[in-house]
Amino acid sequence: MFNRNRGLRRVAAVASISLVAGCGVFAGSSTDDSGPIVVGTTSAPSTLDPAGSWDGSWELFRNIYQTLLAYPNGATTPEPDAAENCAFTDSGNRTYRCELRSGLKFADGDTLDAEAVKYSIDRIRTINAPSGPAGLLGSLDRVQALGDREVVFHLNKTDATFPFVLATPAMSIVDPDDYPAKSLRKDDSVHGSGPYTLRSYDEKRAELVRNDRYQGFADRQNDAVTIRYFQDSATMVKALRSGDIDVTYRGLAASDIVALETHTDTELQLVDGAGTDISYLVFNPADPWAKQPAVRRAVAQIVDRAAIAHKVYEGTVDPLYSMVPAGLTGHTTGFFDDFGDPSTSKARKILADAGVTQKVPLTLWYTTDRYGSETGRMFQELKRQLDDSGLFTITLRSRPWKTYVVGYQKGEYPVFGRGWFPDFPDPDNFIAPFVGEQNALGTPYPSPVITGRLLPESRTESDRGEVVKQFEEAQQILVNDARLIPLWQGRQYVAASDDISGGEQALDPSTIMMMWELHRKTSW
């Protein structure tokens, strides 16, 4: 029997994915000895060193390293993990103190103390890897270790989002004896203090086993998890159908999702819920055409998001009209409010009013192996829409992710596609990374009102429900500039064999899978 569960509950607009138990079974609350849970994904880590990664490697990090704060089951704001307690100690949100749990150890028995925390954070900024997470620490002035268990973070400006930063897997605590202070670790070993240790790793799989020295909130429902890395969705789904893997997460293609929904003779579950990952276009101001506001606004006027969502993604994503996704504080629909439905006549007027009367030549770049097999089809659809307007001549170019990153960081692409999985579930994280002279896009985007007033104002407010006004104004600025054009907002899909349970707790608010929540059902 095929079980499908829509209508899932939402907590702070972030999906909780539920693998619904079938009849005649109940979810066990203890580990079993029937072998590791095998999870398939197409999102392989780029590195095993937290100082070198601001990407999908975080999925693995969450399970083998530990952070001061994280998200226990059901939490939507950070709570202590390696820490016993954390809090701002001043009214200005510029001094943040954490006290560690007593007796913390790394998996190999080395002591995890305040100096290890300081070392781990400091090396991120010292190494400042091109693809690393140092950019998340822009508000940090210095870290202070007081004794064995007290860590104090002194900020250079007010930042109520700093606890969210500490909860990202980028801030994983590493053993100073095993991680160089000024360079990334090159081998495939890990010395962490998380719920699991990494028994073995290669480009095809990671084998995780219980870390008996772990102290934290994770209540492990299994003793071992094997993560298998696949190149494509079809191969991964084939492995699920054959029983070679138990769960799939990240990388399911739209066609495979639809096929799983309509397949009726297999013992599988497919569930979906709201996600906060987004897809968007970036315009490079160094390009003579992309730098013109009228050109960007004309593109925004023509793009048919509904066609992309339904023709390319077969209804597995939702059209998005703001860089802040639906469900987060302050979300608006600014691109729809200002541009309405796609219209060639309105786009022609936008260009004509700016004195542009010729066809606009634009080259759109995308990556072939990062955001799913539909990416190429999406850009073909964008080309069709823009070419058919008679206002543009579109050329498509693509590269694999590793070389694609280098290209956009060098400013080589006039217009290019990007995706974004949140670092943390706050509207700040869908605006701040993309603006400023130095940002996550490699293309300077000075926006003094956003960076100089709106973000600083919002970061004085610890109650994140009270920042609606600032983020509504920031989103309108992004609409007016049209430097970034949102396309779609994803959903989170998990497919699993019918004997797997625990998925309702398995995703944290930034949609990272906490593998320790998965377990096999127990028969009556």
Side-chain angles (χ1 to χ4, degrees):
M1 177 179 175
F2 187 85
N3 299 321
R4 187 170 189 274
N5 180 3
R6 296 185 80 108
L8 300 171
R9 64 187 176 90
R10 299 190 181 196
V11 180
V14 180
S16 287
I17 306 292
S18 177
L19 303 181
V20 181
C23 298
V25 295
F26 65 92
S29 60
S30 60
T31 59
D32 57 50
D33 58 0
S34 56
I37 305 289
V38 184
V39 178
T41 178
T42 61
S43 181
S46 60
T47 176
L48 298 185
D49 190 331
S53 170
W54 195 347
D55 59 24
S57 305
W58 289 9
E59 199 88 53
L60 182 60
F61 295 171
R62 174 62 77 207
N63 292 277
I64 58 178
Y65 293 105
Q66 198 172 15
T67 47
L68 290 171
L69 302 166
Y71 299 95
N73 174 33
T76 57
T77 56
E79 296 184 14
D81 187 19
E84 188 169 276
N85 57 74
C86 291
F88 282 106
T89 60
D90 65 328
S91 59
N93 291 342
R94 294 185 61 166
T95 304
Y96 194 73
R97 175 190 175 276
C98 290
E99 182 180 9
L100 298 179
R101 294 176 186 262
S102 177
L104 288 174
K105 301 284 185 181
F106 290 101
D108 64 356
D110 287 354
T111 297
L112 192 167
D113 56 14
E115 284 293 341
V117 175
K118 172 178 166 56
Y119 181 91
S120 300
I121 304 299
D122 284 346
R123 74 185 290 266
I124 292 172
R125 298 201 296 173
T126 299
I127 295 170
N128 195 21
S131 57
L136 287 170
L137 295 170
S139 64
L140 179 62
D141 179 34
R142 61 189 175 93
V143 187
Q144 186 179 17
L146 300 177
D148 292 336
R149 295 176 56 197
E150 185 177 355
V151 185
V152 181
F153 299 91
H154 300 276
L155 308 186
N156 53 38
K157 53 189 173 185
T158 298
D159 187 1
T161 70
F162 189 71
F164 290 91
V165 173
L166 289 180
T168 66
M171 303 300 133
S172 296
I173 305 166
V174 300
D175 190 338
D177 290 342
D178 298 294
Y179 290 77
K182 298 182 179 180
S183 62
L184 296 177
R185 184 171 175 171
K186 302 299 183 184
D187 62 88
D188 291 335
S189 295
V190 165
H191 289 80
S193 60
Y196 300 97
T197 60
L198 187 65
R199 183 167 65 183
S200 67
Y201 174 83
D202 59 38
E203 63 181 11
K204 293 184 178 180
R205 73 178 60 218
E207 295 186 359
L208 283 58
V209 296
R210 171 187 286 258
N211 173 17
D212 290 331
R213 290 192 170 95
Y214 168 72
Q215 292 188 64
F217 65 76
D219 180 13
R220 288 160 295 189
Q221 300 297 302
N222 60 69
D223 288 322
V225 173
T226 295
I227 305 172
R228 287 186 54 188
Y229 300 112
F230 292 85
Q231 294 296 313
D232 58 81
S233 173
T235 306
M236 182 170 67
V237 171
K238 182 179 179 180
L240 178 66
R241 292 188 189 280
S242 67
D244 290 338
I245 62 176
D246 300 304
V247 183
T248 68
Y249 179 61
R250 292 214 194 279
L252 284 173
S255 58
D256 289 317
I257 293 169
V258 172
L260 285 167
E261 287 176 346
T262 57
H263 203 68
T264 58
D265 60 351
T266 183
E267 294 291 330
L268 296 177
Q269 307 168 68
L270 178 69
V271 293
D272 74 85
T276 52
D277 57 305
I278 66 172
S279 176
Y280 58 98
L281 293 177
V282 182
F283 288 79
N284 185 351
D287 179 79
W289 289 105
K291 73 178 182 180
Q292 298 184 41
V295 169
R296 303 194 299 263
R297 290 178 64 81
V299 172
Q301 182 63 73
I302 290 170
V303 168
D304 188 340
R305 295 167 177 81
I308 291 170
H310 295 292
K311 290 173 60 176
V312 177
Y313 289 91
E314 303 183 59
T316 62
V317 302
D318 297 312
L320 181 63
Y321 298 93
S322 167
M323 288 298 290
V324 175
L328 290 189
T329 298
H331 163 76
T332 68
T333 55
F335 275 89
F336 184 82
D337 298 339
D338 280 27
F339 295 99
D341 292 326
S343 171
T344 295
S345 61
K346 289 181 180 179
R348 182 178 292 109
K349 186 176 188 304
I350 291 170
L351 292 171
D353 288 350
V356 179
T357 56
Q358 69 179 90
K359 279 190 176 183
V360 176
L362 284 177
T363 300
L364 275 57
W365 282 82
Y366 65 93
T367 179
T368 56
D369 59 352
R370 181 68 171 178
Y371 303 121
S373 58
E374 293 87 5
T375 304
R377 291 175 53 210
M378 179 179 76
F379 274 81
Q380 288 288 347
E381 173 62 17
L382 285 169
K383 172 179 168 60
R384 184 197 66 77
Q385 293 176 10
L386 294 168
D387 283 346
D388 286 357
S389 73
L391 303 175
F392 294 90
T393 300
I394 302 299
T395 301
L396 296 182
R397 298 280 180 85
S398 62
R399 285 176 176 170
W401 177 251
K402 286 187 177 181
T403 53
Y404 185 75
V405 171
V406 174
Y408 76 66
Q409 289 177 342
K410 291 182 177 179
E412 294 178 0
Y413 311 147
V415 185
F416 59 99
R418 283 294 310 271
W420 187 253
F421 287 93
D423 303 317
F424 49 86
D426 189 275
D428 185 289
N429 195 234
F430 289 88
I431 293 179
F434 309 133
V435 295
E437 289 294 333
Q438 291 184 321
N439 58 48
L441 304 173
T443 56
Y445 182 4
S447 184
V449 174
I450 293 178
T451 58
R453 178 170 65 84
L454 296 176
L455 289 176
E457 281 182 6
S458 73
R459 289 170 178 171
T460 65
E461 182 56 68
S462 296
D463 182 352
R464 304 307 289 163
E466 298 297 321
V467 296
V468 171
K469 179 180 177 181
Q470 289 87 352
F471 284 108
E472 286 181 343
E473 185 176 347
Q475 286 168 90
Q476 188 58 49
I477 291 171
L478 298 183
V479 172
N480 295 341
D481 292 345
R483 281 282 306 275
L484 310 168
I485 297 182
L487 298 173
W488 54 257
Q489 175 175 350
R491 300 176 188 169
Q492 299 303 321
Y493 289 89
V494 174
S497 61
D498 195 48
D499 69 335
I500 296 295
S501 190
E504 65 275 12
Q505 290 91 23
L507 298 183
D508 77 6
S510 47
T511 66
I512 291 175
M513 183 170 277
M514 300 179 290
M515 304 293 180
W516 58 85
E517 297 287 358
L518 300 173
H519 55 92
R520 289 188 170 84
K521 299 171 184 176
T522 306
S523 298
W524 288 105

